[in-house]
Amino acid sequence: MSYIPISDRDKMEMLAKIGVNSVEELFSSIPENVRLKKDLNLPAPRSEMEVLDYFTEKGKKNDFSRYLHFLGGGAYEHFIPAVVDYLSSRSEFVTPYTPYQPEVSQGTLQVIFEFQTLICQLTGLDMANASLYDGATGAAEAILMGYRLKNKKRLLVASNVNPQYREVIYTYTKNLGLEVVEIPYDQSGRIDRAGLTASLNDDTSVLLCQSPNYFGVIEDVKSLAELAHNQGALLAVVISEPVSLGLLEAPGKLGADIVTGEAQSFGLPLSFGGPFLGFMACKKEFVRQMPGRIAGQTVDVEGRRGFVLTLSTREQHIRREKATSNICTNQAHCALRATIYLETLGHEGLKKLAWLNLQKAAYAAEQLTSLPGVSRKFSGPVFNEFVLEFPDRWEKIDKKLQEKGILGGLALGHHYSGLENCALITVTEVHHKEKIDAYVQALKEVLS
Amino acid sequence: MYPENLYYTKDHEWLKVEGDEAIIGITDFAQKQLGDIIYVDLPQVGKVLEAHQALASVESVKSVSDVFSPVSGEVIAVNEALSQTPDVINKDPHGEGWIVRIRIKNKEELNNLLKAADYEKYLEGLEH
């Protein structure tokens, strides 16, 4: 980012332009007693070179390359082919403003349209939007969309949905007078059927589940859809690891009405937490209640193929307070990266990638559970994540593993009571056999 | 040009009384202001409405407007044809382009509505 200095002369010019004599006068509307009447407590000015040295030194603290990690739970390390960085950094893609003017935005609009098409293919649904902030806001928007469609105050959220997603759902719904009910999980790690049946009634708008869920367990989406529909409710499915869709049946084909989630796995680096990439798709009949921008295909006056933003009357610049959402946007550049990534892999490539993830995770689970006192916590089928139970509190084991340079899994105890001895372990294509074996060896040493 | 047998509102709805029932739509002025209508969000049959409550919304390409109920009542039918051909409102706003049929709760409220001549005078005022 460029450094833009401000000289005393610049300041005087700006003040003169707006007709005030001093900076103090500019802020005269701020009450005296809350004004800071001294300089900020900052170190002395430094040269550009010194500043660079200072932050480079600080940045070294963030070096996690010294760790071998097996972390996931909503943020996944996948290999990103160089073509993604190369194409997405082309200036035509980096510099354009939001595509309100289709006549000068065909490239951007076409990318969004292709992204939507890919999301429709992966989710098995008719319509997708141009993207949302992230999986968490996608989940919250899906809940609100379900409520708008059914107008019933009861909203069911599975407790094995990512805890951070659930927090965002609570933030979004807290002041709307809605009743959000959490559904327990069973020994397989899936939604507990008895718990679900007890809470699912004809006053329910929507059931929101995640698959694979936060424990890595694949839900039986088809039967959840049937149960929800039998009570007149909708089924919304959250996908936080969309690589799984390379192998698993598209939720839309299993009866899901809304599918939303996180597409960070598709060509976006972890980057200490963002930016991530939310997506959302739904059945055609529900599109008018879907939040967010939508690009559509059309023809120009000469009959040539072109793209425009469409169904805009759902959005806040037209419908204002009655818009489907006033707290969403699209992540066009992240969606561009996901589009390039998916189009590079292709249908077969994504399937192979999913196989690699599944097989490596299965190998890791098999090896780790061969150690005494280590077992799978849940019996349900998994993709590239699984929960292991250890003979001691995970924090203790985790600490010892970190001393050996391994981040062995995500703690679950602070979100789920009873899982204090458990961790969520994630294995993707970046984990060579040697890495998995190194983890198994380290854990063996820690436990003995 | 505005039929004598209809009542009108300043929000540009019309209402036609048929016994205890009434048909409601939007006026020719309203459809011209909106332009090509591409979608009508219709209420559920059975919905109970207060006077001035939003009963439907009408969308053109770049705008959306609420349609308010001129009087209190209960929705007993909606114009299903609008879901397939919403532009019938543009073609025949005071006839085939009707939106809902309601059962009127209180006929006294009709006295608050405009007659054709008053509505035309009101529109003339808007044009200045």
Side-chain angles (χ1 to χ4, degrees):
Chain A
M1 190 176 286
S2 46
Y3 173 63
I4 304 170
I6 178 166
S7 67
D8 284 342
R9 200 175 133 193
D10 295 332
K11 262 190 221 171
M12 293 318 291
E13 274 179 20
M14 285 193 273
L15 290 169
K17 186 86 184 172
I18 57 173
V20 290
N21 291 315
S22 64
V23 175
E24 286 66 40
E25 194 185 328
L26 177 66
F27 295 126
S28 61
S29 60
I30 298 170
E32 282 286 331
N33 60 339
V34 298
R35 283 202 234 169
L36 184 69
K37 295 195 189 66
K38 55 184 181 184
D39 287 336
L40 290 172
N41 183 19
L42 291 173
R46 297 188 196 191
S47 70
E48 182 178 347
M49 199 167 77
E50 286 169 326
V51 170
L52 204 60
D53 284 348
Y54 175 80
F55 281 106
T56 306
E57 220 30 62
K58 285 265 175 202
K60 282 181 186 165
K61 287 191 175 172
N62 284 333
D63 179 26
F64 60 87
S65 61
R66 63 200 150 110
Y67 288 110
L68 170 59
H69 83 83
F70 293 84
L71 307 180
Y76 302 95
E77 185 178 1
H78 289 290
F79 180 73
I80 301 174
V83 65
V84 176
D85 281 334
Y86 181 75
L87 286 180
S88 67
S89 18
R90 285 186 60 107
S91 60
E92 300 94 320
F93 285 133
V94 174
T95 59
Y97 183 57
T98 191
Y100 287 129
Q101 278 179 285
E103 60 273 30
V104 294
S105 307
Q106 283 304 297
T108 305
L109 287 163
Q110 180 170 343
V111 168
I112 296 174
F113 185 79
E114 288 185 21
F115 172 77
Q116 292 170 182
T117 306
L118 292 163
I119 294 300
C120 286
Q121 288 173 353
L122 287 170
T123 58
L125 287 166
D126 309 315
M127 301 279 189
N129 70 13
S131 69
L132 295 165
Y133 288 117
D134 55 22
T137 58
E141 292 286 2
I143 282 280
L144 293 180
M145 181 177 167
Y147 173 63
R148 285 195 298 275
L149 285 163
K150 292 290 178 180
N151 256 310
K152 296 169 182 173
K153 290 198 183 301
R154 176 172 279 229
L155 311 162
L156 307 187
V157 177
S159 58
N160 56 19
V161 169
N162 188 316
Q164 293 170 333
Y165 292 14
R166 282 184 282 132
E167 271 182 46
V168 174
I169 289 171
Y170 288 124
T171 305
Y172 273 44
T173 54
K174 193 162 73 179
N175 297 311
L176 299 177
L178 303 173
E179 186 195 2
V180 180
V181 181
E182 288 216 353
I183 308 300
Y185 58 87
D186 66 15
Q187 292 188 341
S188 72
R190 286 176 163 181
I191 290 175
D192 180 61
R193 286 316 159 93
L196 175 60
T197 324
S199 294
L200 183 64
N201 58 24
D202 59 8
D203 196 34
T204 307
S205 277
V206 59
L207 163 65
L208 182 109
C209 71
Q210 181 180 327
S211 183
N213 62 37
Y214 194 64
F215 303 139
V217 176
I218 300 158
E219 294 283 355
D220 182 356
V221 173
K222 195 175 178 198
S223 72
L224 292 174
E226 280 163 12
L227 284 168
H229 293 161
N230 285 344
Q231 294 293 332
L234 300 170
L235 179 70
V237 178
V238 176
I239 311 276
S240 82
E241 174 47 301
V243 170
S244 63
L245 295 174
L247 282 180
L248 299 176
E249 179 64 290
K253 298 241 169 82
L254 298 170
D257 301 286
I258 303 166
V259 177
T260 186
E262 176 57 63
Q264 173 269 323
S265 285
F266 296 152
L268 293 171
L270 290 166
S271 295
F272 303 101
F276 276 21
L277 173 60
F279 65 87
M280 182 179 258
C282 69
K283 291 180 180 165
K284 191 178 178 182
E285 67 214 79
F286 302 137
V287 69
R288 279 176 183 278
Q289 290 304 334
M290 183 158 66
R293 172 167 293 178
I294 299 173
Q297 181 180 295
T298 184
V299 287
D300 71 4
V301 282
E302 284 156 25
R304 296 174 301 187
R305 185 186 190 217
F307 303 92
V308 290
L309 292 177
T310 192
L311 290 169
S312 299
T313 47
R314 302 164 299 111
E315 294 183 72
Q316 57 183 331
H317 60 288
I318 292 177
R319 195 161 274 192
R320 305 206 217 180
E321 81 280 6
K322 289 181 188 163
T324 46
S325 175
N326 281 296
I327 35 178
C328 74
T329 188
N330 68 322
Q331 300 267 71
H333 196 74
C334 298
L336 166 70
R337 290 183 65 96
T339 305
I340 297 168
Y341 178 89
L342 285 171
E343 290 176 359
T344 302
L345 260 64
H347 184 263
E348 284 305 310
L350 184 65
K351 199 168 157 184
K352 272 187 203 162
L353 176 69
W355 261 118
L356 269 177
N357 277 254
L358 180 96
Q359 288 170 335
K360 283 175 182 292
Y363 173 74
E366 186 188 277
Q367 294 298 308
L368 291 166
T369 53
S370 71
L371 301 175
V374 182
S375 59
R376 284 273 307 276
K377 176 68 183 171
F378 300 113
S379 59
V382 297
F383 175 59
N384 66 357
E385 295 183 276
F386 50 89
V387 175
L388 293 186
E389 187 162 33
F390 298 89
D392 201 350
R393 292 180 68 86
W394 171 248
E395 278 78 7
K396 289 189 189 171
I397 296 165
D398 189 26
K399 197 160 169 275
K400 289 181 194 158
L401 281 170
Q402 286 192 29
E403 286 162 11
K404 292 178 178 291
I406 289 175
L407 299 173
L410 279 183
L412 294 168
H414 41 264
H415 291 300
Y416 298 94
S417 70
L419 298 186
E420 289 77 10
N421 287 7
C422 296
L424 176 68
I425 287 117
T426 304
V427 184
T428 76
E429 78 282 0
V430 302
H431 295 101
H432 309 303
K433 181 170 180 292
E434 293 72 30
K435 290 183 180 176
I436 298 169
D437 291 343
Y439 182 17
V440 176
Q441 183 58 33
L443 184 63
K444 192 176 179 180
E445 289 163 19
V446 164
L447 292 177
S448 61
Chain B
M1 83 147 282
Y2 286 90
E4 298 282 339
N5 61 336
L6 305 183
Y7 289 97
Y8 300 90
T9 71
K10 288 184 177 179
D11 296 319
H12 311 289
E13 290 93 13
W14 57 262
L15 178 146
K16 183 183 185 188
V17 177
E18 289 186 351
D20 292 336
E21 298 172 4
I23 303 168
I24 297 167
I26 63 170
T27 66
D28 186 55
F29 175 84
Q31 70 81 14
K32 277 189 186 137
Q33 291 288 311
L34 288 166
D36 292 345
I37 289 166
I38 55 167
Y39 183 71
V40 183
D41 189 17
L42 294 164
Q44 299 275 342
V45 169
K47 183 169 181 172
V48 178
L49 299 157
E50 299 286 321
H52 312 302
Q53 193 182 337
L55 69 82
S57 65
V58 178
E59 288 186 22
S60 62
V61 179
K62 285 190 175 176
S63 76
V64 55
S65 303
D66 282 332
V67 180
F68 299 100
S69 188
V71 295
S72 309
E74 181 187 341
V75 177
I76 52 176
V78 298
N79 188 355
E80 299 287 355
L82 295 179
S83 52
Q84 291 306 312
T85 52
D87 58 329
V88 70
I89 293 180
N90 294 114
K91 290 173 187 149
D92 187 9
H94 303 144
E96 292 294 306
W98 66 278
I99 296 173
V100 297
R101 176 182 282 271
I102 65 165
R103 185 172 293 113
I104 304 172
K105 186 181 169 192
N106 178 3
K107 281 201 165 184
E108 299 272 304
E109 288 177 2
L110 296 172
N111 298 328
N112 302 330
L113 305 177
L114 304 174
K115 295 281 173 52
D118 300 328
Y119 181 63
E120 280 172 32
K121 205 175 285 172
Y122 172 68
L123 291 182
E124 275 170 36
L126 288 183
E127 277 158 23
H128 294 296

